[in-house]
Amino acid sequence: MVTATATKTINVFIADPLSEDGIFPLRQETGLDLNIIIDTGLTPEQLISKIEDVDVLLVRSQTTVTREIIEAAKNLKLIGRAGVGVDNIDLTAATEHGIIVVNAPDGNTNSAAEHTIAMMTSLARYIPQAFNTLKNGKWDRKSYVGVELKNKTLGVIGMGRIGAEVAYRAKGQRMNVIAYDPFLTEERAIELGVTKGTVDEVCVAADFITVHTPLLPETRNIINKERFAIMKDGVRIINCARGGIINEDDLYDAIVEGKVVGAALDVFIEEPATDHKLLTLPQVIATPHLGASTVEAQESVAVDVSNDIIKFYKTGTVTNPVNMPSIPKEKLAEVEPFFALADKLGKFLIQVTGEVVKELNISYAGDVANYDVRPLTANAIKGLLSTNHGTHVNDVNARYLAERIGMKINEHKTTTAKGFTNLITVEIKTKNEVHTVAGTLLNGLGARIVKVENFVVDVIPEGHLLYIKNTDKPGAIGRVATKLAEKNINIATMQVGRAQIGGTAVMMLTVDNEVTTEDLTFVGQLENIDEVKAITL
């Protein structure tokens, strides 16, 4: 952990314009000797020349904090981003240099939720179109007969902070809400007063659909041609999250074809988007990425980061870290070799189950049980959550995010490693399932998955894997290999395990390329094949 000190003058360098109210906590702080330096609009070279003695660097989105800037800052201990994203900060370089990066993930929640509701209301009542007609000298009431929100169904895809706030406000409009989120439990849905559904169930049921997910491989184009096809005729679409969640070409076609009667967009794949073809359609209303652009949000994010600076120098901890702070080198050396293994075990399990994880149990056996395993637990949680949360989840905030969504986390240590020098076993529990995977580090050979459920295997945890459950009868392996060959999928390695002759068995295959859903279906239809999962590590 970075050691904070309050006994010296702390140079706080503000490189981007921030609300004066936002940095007021720094100005009024009397328990620390803060020297606030405001110097904005600098080139990277100019910032490098001024940052050597800076302790805290505070930015928004204009300044890109590069490795070169970080390496030039000899005293830098904390970088604050007054906003949500940190894509303008080299997190790897910051972590390598033991510098904590903090942001303000909650500061724009209200503004983004309000903007979404404003866009939905404007879409329902054709407010921008009617205004433009009136402004052009035409009093036209017949062309803009809208619909009420009351008793309509709003589909919310992504029930994080902003999605939950949108749902709350929609309930105030007496709308029905159906929501999808990979970590939304039935209990949480009941608490929020929404119906839990799959993405397809949301698309089928909703009159309005709004998306509030991060842009990840799993969420890119999550609303596409196939999902437009199952929506109600006359559906309305809102995107105030990230460009790319909705396939823009498919949305254009759905509007032209009359399936979608209107779309409200605050974001696009490429911005600025002044000449986008969607903007040529009269059914589309749009704003230039204004979701967080309110006086209050700009002030709030600056206040949050300012308070984290003060907290760090007073307590050595922060509220909103987005990278892993450095730990003593001797402690890091003990557990660092296990970081990737713990992460891969978590990633493996989340791809095995299709249900919401309610409990995570991690067991450390052998020599590793003598170490400080908290970073390893964080890495396992990070692996578990990263498939759906993306780069937002990291070693520092992983446990916080897991607990926030109601996941129970348990650690257990034992010196008995059952034949291994070190063994990490990760178990997840859902409402209906329990899944377990165990891994170890083999001297000179690296990481291995050595147990899946109750089956002993020996698998390198990397690349594209196929996890197949089958009945232990002659011909199962051959049929799988033949079917994969027909699909031009090359098997690199194969491991099989069974508990008893003729019972349930598993195959663990490493293949050279990603296996499509269609290919999985073909394999799953083979005789004596019970379950097939594609896993990417």
Side-chain angles (χ1 to χ4, degrees), residues 35 43 71 126 139 231 248 271 308 354 451 492 504 507 520:
N35 176 34
T43 66
E71 290 178 346
Y126 299 105
W139 186 268
M231 293 179 189
E248 292 175 349
E271 298 177 356
D308 243 358
K451 193 173 184 181
T504 300
M507 303 182 211
L520 285 179

Side-chain angles (χ1 to χ4, degrees), residues 348-354 433 435 453 467 531 533 535:
F348 181 93
L349 286 178
I350 198 61
Q351 294 175 78
V352 168
T353 184
E433 301 174 349
H435 295 286
E453 312 299 9
Y467 169 50
E531 182 181 5
K533 297 283 188 179
I535 297 168

Side-chain angles (χ1 to χ4, degrees), residues 41-110:
L42 300 177
T43 66
E45 293 75 18
Q46 290 172 328
L47 182 54
I48 286 173
S49 70
K50 298 185 176 187
I51 203 170
E52 182 175 1
D53 295 325
V54 169
D55 300 285
V56 177
L57 177 61
L58 191 50
V59 301
R60 286 186 62 197
S61 58
Q62 294 94 322
T63 296
T64 298
V65 186
T66 63
R67 176 175 291 274
E68 290 73 22
I69 291 172
I70 289 171
E71 290 178 346
K74 306 304 181 184
N75 295 327
L76 195 59
K77 294 181 177 60
L78 188 146
I79 300 171
R81 163 70 160 89
V84 178
V86 288
D87 52 331
N88 59 320
I89 299 171
D90 190 327
L91 290 178
T92 300
T95 302
E96 288 176 5
H97 288 77
I99 299 166
I100 293 179
V101 179
V102 299
N103 68 345
D106 298 316
N108 69 351
T109 298
N110 187 71

Side-chain angles (χ1 to χ4, degrees), residues 5 17 29 41 51 60 92 138 144 214 236 290 307 419 443 457 519 529:
T5 176
E29 175 58 41
I51 203 170
R60 286 186 62 197
T92 300
K138 186 177 180 181
Y144 302 114
R236 291 170 169 85
L290 298 180
N307 285 331
N443 288 336
V457 295
D519 293 336
I529 300 301

Side-chain angles (χ1 to χ4, degrees), residues 169-229:
R169 285 161 172 76
K171 296 288 289 183
Q173 295 284 354
R174 288 181 283 182
M175 299 183 79
N176 304 310
V177 180
I178 181 171
Y180 163 77
D181 189 283
F183 292 97
L184 178 64
T185 63
E186 290 286 357
E187 294 82 359
R188 177 61 172 161
I190 292 171
E191 180 184 334
L192 293 171
V194 306
T195 301
K196 179 178 180 289
T198 65
V199 176
D200 285 349
E201 287 170 342
V202 170
C203 289
V204 169
D207 302 294
F208 294 78
I209 296 175
T210 180
V211 293
H212 297 284
T213 72
L215 182 61
L216 305 168
E218 294 76 19
T219 61
R220 186 180 297 276
N221 297 322
I222 194 171
I223 302 298
N224 53 26
K225 181 178 180 179
E226 290 73 24
R227 288 201 161 113
F228 283 123

Side-chain angles (χ1 to χ4, degrees), residues 221 223-229 246-257 259-260 277-278:
N221 297 322
I223 302 298
N224 53 26
K225 181 178 180 179
E226 290 73 24
R227 288 201 161 113
F228 283 123
I246 299 172
N247 185 294
E248 292 175 349
D249 291 331
D250 292 351
L251 174 59
Y252 180 90
D253 292 341
I255 295 172
V256 171
E257 294 164 4
K259 166 65 76 168
V260 175
K277 67 179 181 180
L278 280 165

